[in-house]
Amino acid sequence: MSAVKMTEGSLQVEVCKAPLFFRQSEPATGEARMSVLLLHGIRFSSENWLNIGTLETLAKAGCRAVAIDLPGLGRSKSAKAPAAVGELAPASFLKEVCEQLSLSPVVVVSPSLSGMYSLPFLLQHQALIRAYIPVAPICTEKFSAEQYQSVKVPALIVYGDQDAQLGEASLHNLSNLANHRVVVMKGAGHPCYLDDPDTWHKALTDFLNTL
């Protein structure tokens, strides 16, 4: 069993007015081979990634993984969410998070609500992103097929086959990404990674091994 180092901390992002909480896992020995940023949905927080073992799985796979609590949620409740004016604020918010935590180039895992941050970030700063793993994110309809086609970052589109609403809508839009593959998790709902962590972890690590 490879040893894993787990830490917690907070970072100050200018636009949020109050600190953001994060959890981090990394291999206890040796250099991490890549950085992964774990975002979350509206009813969730970084704690979910801890509880289902994603932080540990990534560290054992040789990655440094950081799971943040998004502004207004989890243990970042007093942090203010950036206004989505012209979609610049959400993109620069994640850019600042990655800069402060020295994550670039980063693999972004983005379920549900976090799409409002990760999609603008992907479209405006793809040079900072090593790969993109959307899990039925919101806001996919806000961008055109041409915008998606301009993204060359490798993407793994994941959703549960019981997520008839967001899963299929997000797939329809995200399948315009130039370099993507799709994993449909059988019998899993909207937070498919919670329904079947083993399948999720296998899909995640298999994909990271291709990067």
Side-chain angles (χ1 to χ4, degrees):
M1 295 282 278
S2 48
V4 166
K5 183 178 158 204
M6 291 270 191
T7 47
E8 295 183 352
S10 64
L11 74 152
Q12 192 69 51
V13 177
E14 204 176 324
V15 34
C16 297
K17 311 286 190 256
L20 288 181
F21 174 78
F22 70 88
R23 298 167 200 272
Q24 174 172 278
S25 64
E26 53 198 323
T29 53
E31 192 72 21
R33 62 192 178 107
M34 65 180 85
S35 297
V36 181
L37 177 64
L38 296 158
L39 304 175
H40 61 82
I42 194 160
R43 292 179 308 177
F44 306 109
S45 72
S46 63
E47 194 174 352
N48 296 97
W49 299 122
L50 179 70
N51 291 346
I52 65 168
T54 304
L55 282 162
E56 186 181 7
T57 299
L58 287 167
K60 284 183 172 167
C63 302
R64 176 186 169 210
V66 176
I68 66 169
D69 283 3
L70 288 165
L73 300 167
R75 285 162 71 176
S76 300
K77 282 225 179 354
S78 46
K80 194 169 147 322
V85 182
E87 296 302 338
L88 272 174
S92 53
F93 160 70
L94 278 189
K95 178 172 182 277
E96 192 177 337
V97 167
C98 290
E99 282 167 357
Q100 290 212 28
L101 293 167
S102 306
L103 292 174
S104 307
V106 68
V107 176
V108 179
V109 177
S110 178
S112 199
L113 166 94
S114 66
M116 65 181 278
Y117 299 106
S118 67
L119 286 162
F121 181 54
L122 176 72
L123 291 160
Q124 289 169 39
H125 300 292
Q126 54 175 310
L128 303 178
I129 301 178
R130 182 160 182 172
Y132 184 56
I133 305 175
V135 188
I138 65 169
C139 296
T140 57
E141 72 292 338
K142 292 190 169 179
F143 305 96
S144 67
E146 292 69 36
Q147 282 175 294
Y148 287 120
Q149 285 155 7
S150 72
V151 174
K152 303 298 182 254
V153 169
L156 178 70
I157 300 167
V158 183
Y159 70 102
D161 68 355
Q162 303 302 302
D163 183 6
Q165 201 175 358
L166 261 172
E168 287 164 23
S170 61
L171 175 70
H172 174 73
N173 297 314
L174 293 168
S175 55
N176 289 301
L177 288 166
N179 179 8
H180 77 272
R181 59 187 74 181
V182 179
V183 168
V184 183
M185 289 176 52
K186 300 277 181 277
H190 181 53
C192 53
Y193 44 90
L194 293 183
D195 292 343
D196 186 352
D198 291 346
T199 300
W200 158 248
H201 289 145
K202 184 170 178 353
L204 184 60
T205 49
D206 286 355
F207 176 66
L208 296 178
N209 287 336
T210 66
L211 300 176

